[in-house]
Amino acid sequence: MHTTAQTFKKAFTASIVSATLLCSGFVNAHQDAHHQSQLEQAIAGDHRSATNKARDEYRHPKETLEFFGFNPSMTIVEITPGGGWYTEILAPAVKGKGKLYGAQYPDTGEDNYYSNSRKQLVEKLAGNAVFSEVELTNFVPRQASELAPAGTADMVLTFRNLHNWRDEGVEQAFKDAYKALKKGGVLGVVEHRLPEGVDPKSAVGYVSQSKTIEQAKAAGFTLAASSEINANAKDMAVYPKGVWTLPPVLRLGDEDKAKYMAIGESDRMTLKFVK
């Protein structure tokens, strides 16, 4: 009887454990599906223009954010959102659950690129309720900046900005990101990639991947993974007007437009670093 009771107890316990694991797996799968659908809904939202959506083909926002480990409950910082292309996706994707900081150039009251960029972003955010929870902070290239309260961010992202900041600016921005992130937080970088062996002077706007990795490591980060999500093997990087020869800028206008449209947008490194 004792042996039979023990056997029954073990079997009953095993069934409870199995049921718990099954339920846990179902809940996790449901949560993952919800996270995915929330991101997909943000990408498909009517607040995004047809022009911006057309660039998904080259920017791969869903795949890129999932590679970085995005989920809607995160506190995220986007450094210099520019015209807000990624902000249009990130803001609704975290609204009500997470937090989005836009670390943008401050408005000094002057009529220059930095102040005007801030004014334009403020106007954009005020124009649609989907952006109502976005909080702007100040980012000044080559100066220490508080992107978000120290140690509060789960993820800091920067898309095609390193070439504007130059070495000193990149190094400072990575230090700022490290300070803003929690331990285990992610720094996600997407940037025009300089082909190995190509002189940077002949490939304006492109950045060395190996050098970027060195700069991030110097700021304290570990390279967790790299991805070819945003790669473009057609991009040779040497053009009359640098990377801006390619779409969407097409700085040469109609000159050889079909040629550059066939190449598409630039070849880009996609790097995931961890604090």
Side-chain angles (χ1 to χ4, degrees):
M1 287 292 293
H2 181 67
T3 302
T4 301
Q6 286 181 323
T7 301
F8 176 78
K9 183 177 181 181
K10 287 180 179 179
F12 179 75
T13 301
S15 67
I16 292 296
V17 171
S18 296
T20 301
L21 290 173
L22 182 63
C23 181
S24 176
F26 174 78
V27 170
N28 290 338
H30 177 73
Q31 289 176 336
D32 289 343
H34 181 66
H35 293 170
Q36 183 183 45
S37 65
Q38 190 158 326
L39 177 56
E40 288 175 342
Q41 287 170 13
I43 292 170
D46 292 338
H47 65 289
R48 299 185 68 214
S49 68
T51 300
N52 282 356
K53 287 181 178 180
R55 299 190 70 188
D56 293 354
E57 174 187 354
Y58 301 107
R59 293 190 169 188
H60 310 100
K62 178 178 180 291
E63 296 83 356
T64 299
L65 292 174
E66 288 180 345
F67 169 72
F68 290 143
F70 170 87
N71 79 61
S73 63
M74 283 181 164
T75 294
I76 298 176
V77 179
E78 183 184 4
I79 308 180
T80 58
W85 193 93
Y86 254 102
T87 310
E88 290 183 357
I89 295 169
L90 291 167
V94 301
K95 189 174 183 180
K97 294 186 177 182
K99 177 71 178 178
L100 177 61
Y101 290 96
Q104 181 71 321
Y105 310 119
D107 179 5
T108 61
E110 301 170 87
D111 183 15
N112 58 34
Y113 172 77
Y114 300 106
S115 290
N116 291 335
S117 293
R118 178 65 170 239
K119 290 171 185 173
Q120 289 165 9
L121 184 61
V122 168
E123 184 178 345
K124 181 183 183 74
L125 299 184
N128 194 312
V130 76
F131 303 118
S132 63
E133 296 179 9
V134 178
E135 182 174 340
L136 294 184
T137 56
N138 292 328
F139 170 77
V140 181
R142 294 173 289 282
Q143 294 183 26
S145 304
E146 186 176 77
L147 310 179
T152 64
D154 298 291
M155 187 176 285
V156 174
L157 303 173
T158 179
F159 302 98
R160 300 165 313 283
N161 288 307
L162 307 191
H163 62 277
N164 292 319
W165 301 339
R166 300 185 177 86
D167 288 343
E168 183 184 350
V170 171
E171 290 159 8
Q172 184 59 58
F174 286 172
K175 290 177 184 177
D176 295 339
Y178 193 89
K179 184 176 180 181
L181 285 164
K182 301 174 183 176
K183 184 176 181 181
V186 169
L187 168 65
V189 176
V190 177
E191 180 57 278
H192 311 297
R193 176 165 48 192
L194 179 72
E196 292 297 328
V198 173
D199 184 351
K201 293 179 181 179
S202 62
V204 179
Y206 291 83
V207 175
S208 166
Q209 178 167 317
S210 58
K211 188 170 187 178
T212 298
I213 293 171
E214 289 175 7
Q215 290 169 323
K217 287 182 176 179
F221 289 101
T222 298
L223 177 65
S226 62
S227 173
E228 295 301 298
I229 295 168
N230 297 299
N232 180 0
K234 296 178 183 179
D235 179 14
M236 297 294 103
V238 180
Y239 306 109
K241 298 293 183 179
V243 71
W244 302 281
T245 307
L246 298 177
V249 178
L250 293 170
R251 192 157 284 175
L252 293 178
D254 290 332
E255 182 182 342
D256 291 327
K257 182 176 179 179
K259 169 185 171 181
Y260 297 122
M261 288 299 295
I263 294 171
E265 295 194 18
S266 67
D267 174 57
R268 291 157 188 170
M269 61 175 117
T270 304
L271 307 174
K272 178 180 179 179
F273 299 97
V274 175
K275 176 176 177 177

